[in-house]
Amino acid sequence: MRLRTGRALTALAAALLAAGACTAEDEPETGGLGPGPDAVAEAERLFQIVNESHAITDELSVIEHRITKRCLEDEGFTVHDEMQFQESRTAAYSAGGYLSGAPLRAVPTAEAAEQWGFGVWTEFVRNPGNEDLAEELLTPEAMAAFVILDEADTGLDNSEWDAEDQEYQAAWIEAYWGSPAITGGLKGAEIDHEAPPGGCWLEMVETMYGEPYMVTTEGGEGEEDSEHAETHEPSPVYLLEEKDDYGDLYAGVRDEADAFDGCLIDAGYEGWELGDEFYPPLWQYFGKMYDPAYFEEYGDDGTEVPEGPEEVPADFMGVLELEQAMAADFAACGAESGLREAVAEAWAASLVATYEPIETDLVAWREQMQGHLDSAQDYLSE
């Protein structure tokens, strides 16, 4: 089977595709189901199926690693290169529901604005010195709303592996991949990915799936196609082409967006027009207050940013209060203009257009992978 290049790696990437699934008339291709409550209900149903497929992918990666480590440990290797055992976390990126990837951060609900502002603070609260604030503010609800992963779950400690000598690392790699390691480089012993897979990696794949899933990537102009082995067939969601802009979505809600911009101007926020990216320079505006040293050292990207307040709060919580107040005004305009509802319903309709054609294949894939997962769990319990 041939995979397209540029596969979607997360639920968010798949959602970006969905946002752009429009016809030349800028109407979502939804099989007759246009933006509205019915589209929202259908999007929620389909998104649940999609996220269940992500969850199974995550579970499979955990079991794959356990089986591979058991094989290596049976051969006497007790210290592992944890870089080879990074777990899939795709389901975590869509924990916020069908609107996880929707461009709505600048148009929060009134409740979210009061509690979290725009969420800009989440990108600075983990800075050194803010440890107590991070513990207080990064509640499970906030982390789900802004797609923030738990650092304790994502941290990678490879210190034991790094402490091993190259002889151990090379022997481990050969046991893991079945081919001699590449040595002598600046990075130390490395896997020879051009060699066919074998060793404990292949033993794990054969135990769980029977044989590797071979992927062909089309070469560029003048280049040959390449092939590599993966553990199993990917979810049909990952075969979707990516879309990296919101232009079509913006065109479908232009009237509401214009009304939103007019509301902001009336509220004293001239220069804060939404734009077709759905995100005015909120990060630069508040970031310079949360972490002025960063912007002094690295400068900015040339984005035009409205002038800040005459008196900038001296502490993090003071800036957060400023962010919350501004977000409340943006939320009010989002409700008054109908923009938030329009974006949510248009997003739902385009999700339906994206996921309906693959629903049957996705359910079949999920059932097949669940069978592999059940068998692997039985194997580990022996």
Side-chain angles (χ1 to χ4, degrees), residues 176-210:
Y176 172 78
W177 196 246
S179 300
I182 299 173
T183 58
L186 295 176
K187 296 181 179 180
E190 297 181 86
I191 294 173
D192 181 3
H193 287 289
E194 293 187 3
C200 285
W201 186 90
L202 183 60
E203 182 175 322
M204 172 273 294
V205 171
E206 291 175 341
T207 298
M208 291 187 65
Y209 308 107

Side-chain angles (χ1 to χ4, degrees), residues 78-346:
T78 58
V79 175
H80 306 292
D81 180 3
E82 297 299 333
M83 290 293 294
Q84 305 305 322
F85 297 117
Q86 297 181 74
E87 295 178 3
S88 168
R89 298 293 307 278
T90 53
Y93 287 100
S94 47
Y98 84 100
L99 289 177
S100 290
L104 286 169
R105 283 191 67 173
V107 197
T109 64
E111 295 77 15
E114 180 181 2
Q115 188 171 9
W116 300 317
F118 298 107
V120 177
W121 60 270
T122 65
E123 301 176 51
F124 297 93
V125 75
R126 284 175 162 172
N127 288 6
N130 291 341
E131 290 80 6
D132 291 342
L133 291 175
E135 184 175 352
E136 174 189 349
L137 296 173
L138 289 177
T139 63
E141 294 78 15
M143 294 179 74
F146 297 105
V147 195
I148 303 169
L149 302 189
D150 189 338
E151 285 186 330
D153 294 337
T154 58
L156 181 66
D157 182 2
N158 220 18
S159 56
E160 287 190 77
W161 170 262
D162 293 337
E164 293 290 340
D165 58 31
Q166 189 168 128
E167 182 180 358
Y168 176 91
Q169 293 178 349
W172 185 97
I173 286 171
E174 185 165 356
Y176 172 78
W177 196 246
S179 300
I182 299 173
T183 58
L186 295 176
K187 296 181 179 180
E190 297 181 86
I191 294 173
D192 181 3
H193 287 289
E194 293 187 3
C200 285
W201 186 90
L202 183 60
E203 182 175 322
M204 172 273 294
V205 171
E206 291 175 341
T207 298
M208 291 187 65
Y209 308 107
E211 60 182 2
Y213 182 79
M214 301 306 297
V215 178
T216 300
T217 302
E218 296 179 0
E221 185 176 351
E223 298 179 348
E224 295 184 357
D225 293 350
S226 60
E227 190 173 62
H228 69 275
E230 293 190 359
T231 57
H232 60 78
E233 179 181 0
S235 162
V237 172
Y238 297 146
L239 304 182
L240 299 171
E241 293 179 348
E242 294 182 50
K243 182 80 172 182
D244 60 2
D245 66 68
Y246 298 111
D248 293 329
L249 181 67
Y250 184 80
V253 298
R254 184 177 296 277
D255 289 345
E256 291 84 356
D258 288 344
F260 177 79
D261 289 343
C263 178
L264 288 183
I265 292 172
D266 291 343
Y269 291 101
E270 188 170 358
W272 284 99
E273 289 78 8
L274 191 66
D276 59 9
E277 293 297 319
F278 290 88
Y279 198 68
L282 294 166
W283 184 81
Q284 294 91 337
Y285 183 80
F286 287 107
K288 290 179 180 179
M289 301 183 210
Y290 284 120
D291 192 355
Y294 173 87
F295 288 88
E296 288 175 5
E297 181 175 357
Y298 297 104
D300 54 43
D301 56 5
T303 301
E304 186 174 345
V305 181
E307 188 175 344
E310 291 184 4
E311 295 186 12
V312 176
D315 64 308
F316 193 97
M317 292 304 296
V319 179
L320 177 55
E321 290 176 6
L322 191 68
E323 181 182 341
Q324 290 166 327
M326 184 169 167
D329 291 338
F330 275 53
C333 285
E336 179 182 322
S337 63
L339 179 61
R340 184 176 175 87
E341 183 178 4
V343 172
E345 292 184 350

